[in-house]
Structures are given as structure tokens and as C-alpha cells.
């Protein structure tokens, strides 16, 4: 075995160690020490990940066995790590961006109490541990351990300010929604176990084992897995938790709810691409759901006024894009977009954190404006992020989005049209956000204006690094039509293969040109409209519907929560108390009642006893003589 | 003599005793009625014994069985009378009445 | 009598001795110490017994056989196999934990209280080790009767009503089982004892296994035994004694009831029901699984709207037990192994839950969720422990319950995927009610009830730490427990073939 690979277990264990130290020492350790431990362990993990990645890049891959989790005659589950191209790439994203966000947090969270500060870092480290477990696992069980683990950390971090009951409610919602998805994932795993008898990727993706699955099996398994992915990656119908999850501290939103955890669903499907490629029906479903989510979330984002909510819906929308890529069989493009999205979305979340920090906790963009003057680094990096997400040629988002769009075009022009429209909406709402926040006149209070300042280096440094990555990150996947080699898909080819693209270069040029021109137009439109933004209430009905997020939450409340609630009340009040317990108590009461009645026979009147005796004897005679 | 007459007599006596037990409330009379019923049975036993002992198909030991029983019953009845009268006397001493319905509660 | 000093004997006689000492001791307060010392001693014995797994002398049924009523073919016959070892270990572990964790609760008449507690332990140990139907029945009742006195003397306000219902209900079940036992007994072949005595029938477990009963006979006998076990577990619709009993019993007793005693029912299924009546068990398995699964969803739904924290945990326990029962009746290796693992895990977790609830109730005097709020601010350590235990209770990976529930669901799915799907709704619902409870009790702002509460003391910390350590150890490495019970599972499956 490779020497570096022998160290692979350290990658997830180090954050766990950080979690334990920070968690136990939350009362004794100083903030500086907590910050150093918290970020340091991630940095070391990152270094090891880079070394591992370099090995993988040279073509070394391995499955490392640690110990048996469960070993039965008919089932064996091992704790194994798989080091291959896909997990190597995700390792870099998680530890790299994770480190930057830890660094950022040391400054952002500095005003918290000592204890809470340590708690925050402990949770963040635990999250990184779970996420690493998720991508490193060599079977679905280890993945599931990480999968639920990140859900747990998300729950803990959303509810970080636990005194606020809205926040804890959002945390609960996130966990429960994720659990619904998890049930789908679990059922898929059970199905795999019952058909193949194994959970390890290497076993399942053997063609001999895949042949054991009927079309129905594969479709069912992949659909259930997709249900799992909709929970974690916030797709219709389980997406509503993600915008609410913005209740957590902003760096958490950047790390968990934009860059890493929500891409777990993408990772899972890319990992299982061998299965999904065999299930065309599932792929249709994924495409449709992804497309619908992208469009719905983008439309909502247009009318949101909370800076983080806009970014949240934008995340949901971008995740929808990734699912479109997965559905169209364009797995590499999905992974590519995960990567670039991690850069620019983390950048924008951290940027928004910087803004919120400067505004003293204010998140409503209607009360901002003209911030460019006061915080140049934040503003410029945010602008770069907006350009990247909009897909302006040359920025990272352009390449990944173009790859998704051309795949969609090949799949079906209609899919392409919707996706392109969504991309235009994306550019529009992102620049709406940018212009309202950073240009025009300041609309906040006087105190806030006085307080405005650029954030400290620990916060701006990650912004700058991420901004650079948002620009150059796309160059690892330059398509052949633009003279590149598409290195990403070559790198990933041993694990994940997209369907072959057969578009002529000319067509691709036309598509690229079309999208670029339209995107620029839509940015200009946003500039005209929001350059000098003045507060205005929504006027048309469409704006109101969008501002209220299509009333989806209310719909769920009516269609799911309330029926379950009333069913429970019915169970409790009627079935439990009246029927089941009624029968049990009824038996008791019956015995009681009959004794009370029979007691009258014991009247104490001797005559009555004798009369009964005589009657009894007469009856016996009667029976004896006549029957 | 026909056995029927004995049977009718015994039944009459028994019924008188039974009705007496059922309708009277004086403990002493009830007691006497019980004795009457016992003696009705005794009468019947003696009558049957007398009739069937002449039947040659039965063995001589069987013939006297019923009469021996009557003696047993008389002995037991005597014992019972002594206990029963004693109870009635005790009852009279305690509650100053021999009305059985007065003691209808099984406590106190 | 065995030629060596055996573990099964110690498991029964040590608690009995402790009970005796508690009753006769002069000073009231020493009873508590005696009970704790002896229960720790039992725990030590139980740990030692694990090291003799492969010793021939102790292998498989490590048994003691005293001839008791030889003309009836009954004997005091106890022994340990893997399942028994697992559950006696749970019992041995539960008692010291319960006694130490409730150390700060003042009981009146501690002599009687602790004496009865130890008597219960003896009964429970006996149930898990009995290899003779009459001994089994004896211990079954021995475990029940002290509980009755404990609840009716030291319980809450409505204790008489709740305890009466609990006692009569379970006792009715036991009597049905007794009828069943006698019937099977009359259909066993004889058994000869060493000194030339020959009994026409036998109560021994092995004779029960060999009784050749027809399918129709098995059907009615199955019903008799099953009702007894179903009431004890309890599964829907035999569960209504449970919330009241859990609510009204003193918490130490509730811990025994929910942590160990409900396992008697499940254990009964594994040892006395499935192998004795294999035909009927297979015939009825769908019915039982459906009942259990209804119970899972139904109890979870009811748990969601409970305001009384104790009733909430009671209903969640019904849901969990339902799942175990369904897994047992799925009758495959994976599900049985999962159910066994989960029997142990559930015992540990729910005792942890009750410890926390007991602390909350003792410190605030309140057990209504709606009246509590913000405890995380005043009791951070307790909150951390509780959150871990609660997440273990909803089977989060890396906690013990995940290993168990995963196996149970896999096995259930293997048997029928729709059953697994419906039972799986319980996974979601359990998250809903557990998180709701955490949110309302621990999060939010402080109120009048909670703002002056002190955090937990060292003995409570110690016990909760032990529980959390067990949770994580089994969650990460459940294999030792699986090894322990592997043989029993395959023996059972052989009998069901």
C-alpha cells in the first residue's frame, strides 16, 4: 500500500480530534487556542488530502480496510475507505474550503462567548469529519454514517443560537426533511442488500452483480436514492428546509448549506453513476425535478429581500442545475459545477457575512445600499462571485454551466431552453442583489452608516482566495471546442463517465454565444432597474406570490403537517383512549358491574337462599327426568 | 301394601317441611321443618327397604342397608339438633329474637 | 447440583441475598449501600462470565440443575446461552446504573424499597436463564410481584389505579401462559431422574422443544403464550397499561420496567414461543408483524402530541418494541441479530432517557413539556448527555441503536419491503417527536421554572458518561455483541426450519 494512503485515516480523524478537544475544553481553552485547534486540524487534513490527491492523480487508487462493522453469515459490512478520483476531488473541496471557512469564522464569531465559540468550532469540526466520512466511505453504510452525520451537524449549527425558537424550529425542520430523504436512501440500501447481498461499491458495480438486478429493481433503487438526494441536496419536494437553514451563522451557511453538505446528493448519484446510467426513467425524473427546482428557486430568489435568503434560493437553483446535469447523464459536468459552485457560492456567502458583520447583524438588503464605498474588498470579490455564477465567459461558472447547458441541449432542446431561461434569471437576481446592496445610496440608520467598515484580514483573506478560485477554477474543464482538454473528465474517467457528447463545435459556439449575450443583457437590465434602488412594496400579484415563495410552506403545512397532527390527535383521543383503552377498561368495568349485580343474590335472607336451592333442585330434577 | 302410599306420604311430609322452611321466619319452626324433611326421607328409606327386602333376587345384606342408614340419619339429626338449638339460643341471647330475616347481614 | 460454582447461580442468589440483607438490616440508610454494592458485584460476575465463553464447561447452556419437584418432572434448571448472557448482562448493568443514578432521590422506607428492587433483579435474572418451564413461570412472577409493591407504595398520585391496571393486565397474561405451559407439559414425553424416579411428563425446555404438537394445537397455544408476551412487551393493542405505569411509577422502577422488564416479553418470544410452536409462529407471523408495525406508526404518532414527557418516552418505547417484535417475526438471521442487538441497546438508551427525565423532574418539579424551556442554559452538561442519548434513541449512525435498527430494517425488508417501508415512517416520526421535545425542553429562553436549576452532580455524570460510552462503543463496533448471540440465532433458525 501507498505510504500516503496509510495516512488517509487521519483525514477524517483529525477533525474528530478537534471536535473532542474543543468540545471538552470549551470552558478552559481560550478563543485563540480554540481557533488554532479548530482550523489547524482542518489545515493538516487539507495537506494530507493534497498529498493523497497527488497520488490519485498519478493513477494510484485503493480501498483501505479498517475493521468490520457488522459481520454476519448473510451480510458483512466493513469500515472501508475508498481513495479514488471522485473522493480525492471532494476531499480537496471539503478540507480546502472548510479550512478557509474555519479561518473566516475565527474572526466572524469572535464576539461570541468563549464557551459558545468553542462549541461552534467543535460542531464545525464534527461536520467536516462527517462530510469526509461521507465521501471516503467505500460502501453505502459508511456513506450513510456521514450522510446522517452531516445532517446532525447541520441541525446543531442551525440551532446554534438555541434561545431563539424560530431558529431551533428551522433546525428541526432541516433534520426532519433530511430524515425523509434518508428513509429513501435506506430503503435503496435495503433493496441492494436483498438483491446483491452487499453494500460495497466495488461489489455492487461489478457487472455480474448489476446483471442480477431487473429493470424494475434498478429503477426502484435509483429512484429511492434520488429521494435521499432530494432531501440532502434540497430539491423539490424537500427543498424548503434550506432557505430556513439560513438561521445558522453565516459561515455555516457557506460551508454546509452551499459548498459541501448539500452537494452530498450530487456526490451520491455521481458515485452510483453505474446504476443511474442503467435507469433511463430515473434519469428523466431527475432531469425534470432538477429543472423544476432550478426554475422555481430562481423565480423565488428574484423577490427576496434577505441577503442570505437570496443566496439560499440561488443555491437551491444551482443544485437544480447539477441535477439536470446528472439527469442528462452528464456526471462530470455535475461534479464540475459542484466544484465551481463551491468556490463562488462560498465566496458570496462569506461576502454576505462580511456585509452582515459590517451592518451589525442587519440582513435586509432594502436597508443597505452603497456599500461599495465602505468595503471595497468585499464588494469586488462579491462582484466576481456574481460574474462567476452568472456564467460570464472566462469565469469558472461559465465553463461548468456551459457544459451542463450543452448536455441539456443534446438531451432535449426544451430542457436547454428552460435551463437557459433559469440561467438568465440567475444573472438577474444575483445582480439585483449586488446593485441593491453595493450601489446607490445607503438606506440604513445613521448609526449603521457610521459603523460601516471593511472586515479584518481573517475574513477578507478567504474572500480573496475564493475570488481567485472563482476566476481560475473553471480552467480545469475547458471543453475541446474552446481548445481545452477537459482535464476534469479525463481525471474522473476511471470512476465517472458522462455520456459521449456529439455536438458539433459550431453548435457549441452558437449555444455559448447565445447564453453569453443573453446573460449580459439580463445583467444590464438588472443594472438599469436596481442601480438606484428605492424601497418599494411588491405591487403585482406575481411579485407577492414570489415574495411568499409560492406559498409552498403553507401548502405543506396544510397538506402534510396538519393532517398528521390531526391524525395523531385522533389516534390519541379516539382510538387510544376510547377504543383500545376503552376495551381494556371495559373488561374491568364489566367484571365490576357484574359483581355488583350478582351481589344482590347474596341478600342475607335465609329464605331466599333456600328458595334458590329448591329452585335449583327442581331444575335438576326436571333436567334429569325430562331431558 | 302398595309402595305408592308410602311415597305419597313421604312427599307430602317433605313438601310440608319444605314450604315451612321457605315461608316461616321463626328459626325454631324452620328447624322443625328441616327435621320433618329428614324424617320424610327416613320414612321413604324404611318403606323401600321393607318392600325390596322381600325381593329374592337381592342379597340379604343389601336388604338391611337402608334401615341402617336411617339410624345414621337419626344420629346425625340428633347431633345437628343439639348444635342448631344451641345456635338459636345464642341468637336469641344476642338479638332477642328468633326471626331469621333479622340477621340478613353477613357482618357485625 | 453442578460440580462448580456457577455463574447462573450467582446471578440469582446474590440479588436474593442482597434483598434479604436489605430487609433485615437495622439502619434504614444502609439498605441503599447494600443494594449498590451487591448490584455492582453482580455486574462484576456478569463481566467475568463473558470471559468463559469458550470454556467447554461453560459452553452453550451453562446450566445448573437442581431437582425440585421430581415426580412432576420439574426442576430448578437454569443456564446461560448467548441470548441469556446478553440479557443478564443488561440486567446486571442496569441495576447499578439505576441505583447510583437515583442515589439522590430520597425514598421513604429504603429497606423495603431496595429489598424489593433486588428481589426484582433476582426474578429478572431467573427469567433470562430458566431452562424449565415451571422455573420460568416462577421467575416471571417473581419479577412482577415486587414491581407491584414498588409502584403502589412509592409511585405518583394516581399510582393505585395505574398499578392495579398494570398488575391485573400482566397477571392475566401470565395465567394464560400458565395454562399453555400445563397443556404443553401434558404432551411432553417423560423424563427420568438419576435416582430411578421417572416422571411421566417434563417441564424441561428441551422436552418442550421436542413436544410433538399438531398444527391446530399449536395455534391455540401460540395465542395463549403470545398474549402473555405481547402484554409484557407491550405491542399494540395490548399496550395501554404502559403509559400510565411508566408515568406513575417511581422513576427507578420505570427504568427497570422499560429498560429490562419489557425485554422479558421479547425474550419469551425467542426462547419459549418460536421454537416451541414453530408451525404456528410461521403461520401467524404476518399477523404479528402487521400488529407490530401498526404499533410503530401509531405509537409514534401519539408520542408526537404528548405533553407529558414521561408518556412521550413511554409511547416512543412502544414504537421501538414494536419494531423489535416485527424483526423477530421476520425470522431471518439479519433481523433476529438486529433485534437481539437492539434489545440490549434499547435497554441502555431508555434507562439514560429516564435518568435525565428523573433529574429534570426532581430539580424543577415539572414533567410537562409545555412548562419547561431553555434548560440548555442552566444545565449544559445534562443537555449534552440528553441530546446524545436522544439521538441514539432515534438511531443516528455511530450510536448503538443504528446498528440494531439497521439490521432489523434490513431483515424486515428482506422479508417484505412494504412492511419495512411503513415501519420506516417510524424513523421520520421518531425524529419529529424527539427533536420537538429537545427543542421545547432544552432550547428557547428560560422561564420561572427553569431559571434557577443547578446542573447535575457527579454520580449522575458518571452514570450518564457510562451510558454514552456504551452508546458509542456499540455504535462503532457492535461486532462483540453479535458474536455473543450468533450461536443462539442460528440454533433458533434451525428450529424454525
Amino acid at each position: 500500500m501507498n505510504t500516503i494512503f496509510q495516512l488517509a485515516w487521519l483525514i477524517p480523524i483529525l477533525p474528530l480530534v478537534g471536535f473532542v478537544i474543543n468540545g471538552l475544553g470549551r470552558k478552559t481553552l481560550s478563543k485563540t487556542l480554540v481557533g488554532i485547534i479548530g482550523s489547524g486540524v482542518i489545515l493538516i487534513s487539507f495537506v494530507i488530502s493534497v498529498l493523497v490527491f497527488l497520488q490519485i492523480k498519478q493513477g494510484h487508487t485503493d480501498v483501505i480496510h479498517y475493521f468490520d462493522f457488522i459481520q454476519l453469515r448473510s451480510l458483512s459490512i466493513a469500515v472501508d475507505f475508498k481513495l479514488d478520483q471522485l473522493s480525492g476531488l471532494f476531499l480537496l473541496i471539503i478540507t480546502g474550503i472548510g479550512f478557509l471557512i474555519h479561518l473566516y469564522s475565527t474572526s466572524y464569531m469572535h464576539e461570541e462567548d468563549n464557551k459558545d465559540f468553542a462549541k461552534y468550532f467543535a460542531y464545525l469540526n464534527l461536520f467536516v469529519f462527517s462530510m469526509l466520512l461521507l465521501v471516503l466511505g467505500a460502501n453505502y453504510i459508511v456513506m450513510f454514517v456521514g450522510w446522517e452525520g452531516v445532517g446532525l451537524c447541520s441541525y446543531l449549527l442551525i440551532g446554534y443560537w438555541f434561545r431563539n425558537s424560530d431558529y431551533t424550529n428551522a433546525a428541526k425542520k432541516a433534520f426532519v426533511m433530511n430524515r425523509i430523504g434518508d428513509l429513501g436512501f435506506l430503503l435503496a440500501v435495503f433493496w441492494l442488500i436483498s438483491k446483491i447481498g452487499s453494500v460495497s461499491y466495488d461489489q455492487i458495480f461489478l457487472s455480474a452483480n448489476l446483471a442480477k438486478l431487473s429493470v424494475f429493481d434498478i429503477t426502484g433503487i435509483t429512484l429511492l436514492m434520488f429521494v435521499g438526494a432530494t432531501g440532502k441536496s434540497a430539491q423539490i419536494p424537500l427543498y424548503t428546509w434550506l432557505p430556513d437553514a439560513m438561521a445558522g451563522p453565516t459561515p455555516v451557511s457557506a460551508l454546509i448549506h452551499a459548498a459541501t453538505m448539500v452537494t452530498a446528493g450530487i456526490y451520491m448519484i455521481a458515485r452510483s453513476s453505474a446504476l443511474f446510467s442503467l435507469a433511463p426513467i430515473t434519469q428523466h425524473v431527475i432531469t425534470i425535478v432538477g429543472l423544476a427546482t432550478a426554475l422555481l428557486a430562481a423565480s423565488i430568489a428574484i423577490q427576496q429581500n434577505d441577503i442570505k435568503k437570496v443566496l439560499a434560493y440561488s443555491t437551491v437553483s444551482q443544485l437544480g442545475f447539477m441535477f439536470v446535469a446528472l439527469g442528462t447523464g452528464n456526471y462530470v459536468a455535475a461534479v464540475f459545477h459542484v466544484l465551481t459552485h463551491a468556490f463562488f457560492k462560498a465566496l458570496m456567502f462569506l461576502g454576505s457575512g462580511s456585509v452582515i458583520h459590517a451592518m451589525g447583524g442587519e440582513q435586509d438588503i432594502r436597508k443597505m445600499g452603497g456599500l461599495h464605498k465602505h468595503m471595497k474588498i468585499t464588494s469586488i470579490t462579491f462582484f466576481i462571485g456574481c460574474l462567476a455564477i452568472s456564467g460570464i465567459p472566462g469565469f469558472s461558472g461559465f465553463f461548468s454551466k456551459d457544459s451542463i447547458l450543452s448536455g441539456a441541449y443534446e438531451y432535449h432542446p426544451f430542457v436547454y431552453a428552460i435551463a437557459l431561461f433559469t440561467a438568465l434569471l440567475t444573472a438577474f437576481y444575483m445582480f439585483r442583489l449586488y446593485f441593491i446592496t453595493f450601489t446607490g445610496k445607503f438606506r440604513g440608520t445613521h448609526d449603521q452608516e457610521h459603523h460601516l467598515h471593511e472586515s479584518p484580514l481573517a475574513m477578507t483573506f478567504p474572500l480573496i482566495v475564493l475570488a481567485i478560485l472563482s476566476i481560475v477554477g473553471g480552467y480545469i474543464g475547458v471543453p475541446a471546442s474552446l481548445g481545452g482538454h477537459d482535464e476534469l473528465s479525463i481525471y474522473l474517467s476511471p470512476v465517472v463517465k458522462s455520456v459521449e457528447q456529439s455536438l458539433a463545435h459550431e453548435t457549441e459556439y452558437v449555444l455559448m454565444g447565445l447564453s453569453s449575450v443573453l446573460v449580459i443583457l439580463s445583467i444590464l437590465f438588472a443594472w438599469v432597474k436596481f442601480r438606484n434602488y428605492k424601497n418599494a412594496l411588491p405591487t403585482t400579484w406575481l411579485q407577492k406570490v414570489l415574495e411568499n415563495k409560492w406559498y409552498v410552506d403553507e401548502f405543506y403545512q396544510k397538506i402534510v403537517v396538519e393532517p398528521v397532527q390531526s391524525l395523531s390527535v385522533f389516534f390519541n383521543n379516539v382510538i387510544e383512549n376510547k377504543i383500545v383503552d376503552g376495551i381494556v377498561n371495559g373488561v374491568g368495568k364489566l367484571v365490576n358491574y357484574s359483581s355488583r349485580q350478582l351481589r344482590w343474590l347474596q341478600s342475607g335472607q335465609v329464605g331466599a337462599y333456600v328458595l334458590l336451592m329448591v329452585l335449583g333442585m327442581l331444575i335438576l330434577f326436571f333436567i334429569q327426568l325430562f331431558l | 301394601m302398595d309402595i305408592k302410599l308410602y311415597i305419597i306420604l313421604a312427599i307430602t311430609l317433605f313438601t310440608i317441611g319444605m314450604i315451612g322452611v321457605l315461608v316461616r321466619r321463626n328459626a325454631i319452626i324452620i328447624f322443625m321443618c328441616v327435621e320433618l324433611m329428614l324424617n320424610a326421607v327416613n320414612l321413604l328409606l324404611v318403606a323401600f327397604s321393607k318392600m325390596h327386602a322381600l325381593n329374592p333376587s337381592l342379597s340379604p345384606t343389601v336388604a338391611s342397608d337402608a334401615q341402617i342408614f336411617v339410624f345414621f340419619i337419626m344420629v346425625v339429626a340428633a347431633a345437628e339438633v343439639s348444635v342448631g338449638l344451641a345456635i338459636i339460643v345464642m341468637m336469641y341471647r344476642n338479638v332477642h329474637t328468633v326471626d331469621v330475616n333479622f340477621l340478613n347481614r353477613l357482618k357485625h | 447440583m453442578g460440580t462448580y460454582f456457577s455463574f447462573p447461580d450467582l446471578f440469582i442468589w446474590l440479588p436474593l441475598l442482597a434483598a434479604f440483607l436489605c430487609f433485615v438490616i437495622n439502619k434504614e440508610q444502609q439498605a441503599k449501600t447494600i443494594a449498590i454494592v451487591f448490584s455492582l458485584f453482580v455486574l462484576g460476575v456478569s463481566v467475568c462470565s463473558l470471559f468463559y465463553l469458550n470454556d467447554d464447561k461453560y459452553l452453550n447452556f451453562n446450566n445448573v440443575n437442581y431437582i425440585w419437584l421430581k415426580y412432576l418432572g420439574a426442576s430448578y434448571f437454569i443456564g446461560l446461552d448467548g441470548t441469556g448472557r446478553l440479557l443478564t448482562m443488561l440486567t446486571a448493568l442496569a441495576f447499578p446504573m439505576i441505583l447510583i443514578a437515583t442515589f439522590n432521590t430520597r425514598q421513604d422506607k429504603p429497606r423495603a424499597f431496595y429489598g424489593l428492587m433486588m428481589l426484582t433483579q433476582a426474578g429478572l435474572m431467573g427469567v433470562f436463564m430458566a431452562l424449565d418451564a415451571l422455573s420460568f413461570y416462577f421467575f416471571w412472577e417473581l419479577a412482577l410481584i415486587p414491581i407491584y409493591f414498588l409502584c403502589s407504595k412509592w409511585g405518583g398520585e394516581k399510582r393505585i389505579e395505574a398499578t392495579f391496571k398494570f398488575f391485573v393486565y400482566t397477571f392475566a397474561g401470565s395465567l394464560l401462559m400458565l395454562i399453555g405451559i400445563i397443556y404443553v407439559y401434558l404432551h411432553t414425553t417423560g423424563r427420568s431422574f438419576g435416582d430411578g424416579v421417572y416422571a411421566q411428563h417434563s417441564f424441561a425446555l428441551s422436552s418442550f422443544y421436542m413436544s410433538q404438537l399438531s398444527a391446530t394445537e399449536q395455534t391455540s397455544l401460540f395465542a395463549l403464550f403470545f398474549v402473555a408476551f405481547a402484554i409484557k412487551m407491550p405491542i399494540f393493542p395490548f399496550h395501554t397499561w404502559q403509559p400510565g405505569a411508566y408515568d406513575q411509577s417511581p422513576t427507578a422502577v420505570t427504568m427497570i420496567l422499560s429498560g429490562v422488564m419489557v425485554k422479558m416479553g421479547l425474550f419469551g418470544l425467542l426462547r419459549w414461543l418460536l421454537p416451541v410452536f414453530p408451525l404456528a409462529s410461521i403461520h401467524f407471523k404476518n399477523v404479528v408483524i402487521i400488529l407490530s408495525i401498526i404499533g410503530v406508526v401509531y405509537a409514534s404518532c401519539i408520542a408526537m402530541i404528548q405533553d407529558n414527557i414521561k408518556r412521550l418516552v413511554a409511547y416512543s418505547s412502544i414504537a421501538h418494541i414494536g419494531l423489535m417484535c416485527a424483526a423477530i417475526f421476520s425470522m431471518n438471521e439479519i433481523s433476529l441479530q438486529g433485534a437481539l442487538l437492539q434489545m440490549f441497546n434499547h435497554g441502555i438508551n431508555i434507562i439514560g432517557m429516564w435518568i435525565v427525565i428523573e433529574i429534570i423532574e426532581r430539580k424543577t418539579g415539572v414533567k410537562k413539556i409545555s412548562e419547561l424551556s431553555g434548560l440548555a442554559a442552566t444545565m449544559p452538561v445534562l443537555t449534552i448527555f440528553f441530546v446524545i442519548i436522544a439521538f441514539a434513541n432515534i438511531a443516528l449512525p455511530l450510536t448503538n441503536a443504528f446498528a440494531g435498527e439497521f439490521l432489523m430494517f434490513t431483515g424486515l425488508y428482506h422479508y417484505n419491503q412494504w412492511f419495512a417501508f411503513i415501519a420506516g415512517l417510524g424513523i421520520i416520526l421518531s425524529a419529529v417527536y424527539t427533536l420537538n421535545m429537545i427543542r421545547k425542553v432544552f432550547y428557547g429562553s428560560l422561564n420561572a421554572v427553569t431559571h434557577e436549576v443547578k446542573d447535575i452532580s457527579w454520580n449522575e455524570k458518571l452514570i450518564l458518561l457510562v451510558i454514552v460510552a456504551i452508546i458509542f462503543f456499540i455504535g462503532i463496533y457492535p461486532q462483540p455483541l453479535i458474536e455473543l448471540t450468533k450461536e443462539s440465532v442460528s440454533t433458533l433458525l434451525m428450529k424454525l426450519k
Side-chain angles (χ1 to χ4, degrees), chain A residues 79-100:
Chain A
V79 175
D80 288 357
F81 283 173
K82 189 172 177 73
L83 296 168
D84 67 354
Q85 286 78 1
L86 191 60
S87 57
L89 187 66
F90 271 84
L91 284 184
L92 286 187
I93 301 177
I94 294 160
T95 52
I97 294 183
F99 169 67
L100 289 176

Side-chain angles (χ1 to χ4, degrees), chain A residues 585-598, chain C residues 164:
Chain A
N585 289 340
V587 172
K589 282 200 187 112
L590 184 71
V591 171
N592 227 335
Y593 174 80
S594 24
S595 328
R596 218 175 278 278
Q597 298 308 311
L598 285 171
Chain C
F164 184 74

Side-chain angles (χ1 to χ4, degrees), chain A residues 537-555:
Chain A
L537 288 170
T539 44
T540 64
W541 64 271
L542 185 63
Q543 282 173 327
K544 270 185 199 139
V545 169
L546 293 182
E547 195 175 11
N548 285 302
K549 308 148 194 165
W550 293 98
Y551 296 101
V552 173
D553 277 325
E554 288 78 1
F555 177 70

Side-chain angles (χ1 to χ4, degrees), chain A residues 71 73-74 162 179 576 581, chain C residues 165 298 315 333 444 479:
Chain A
Q71 179 85 47
R73 281 192 191 80
S74 45
F162 63 82
R179 271 244 148 168
E576 178 79 357
D581 210 18
Chain C
K165 187 167 171 184
Y298 173 84
Y315 279 107
E333 190 206 1
Q479 195 60 24

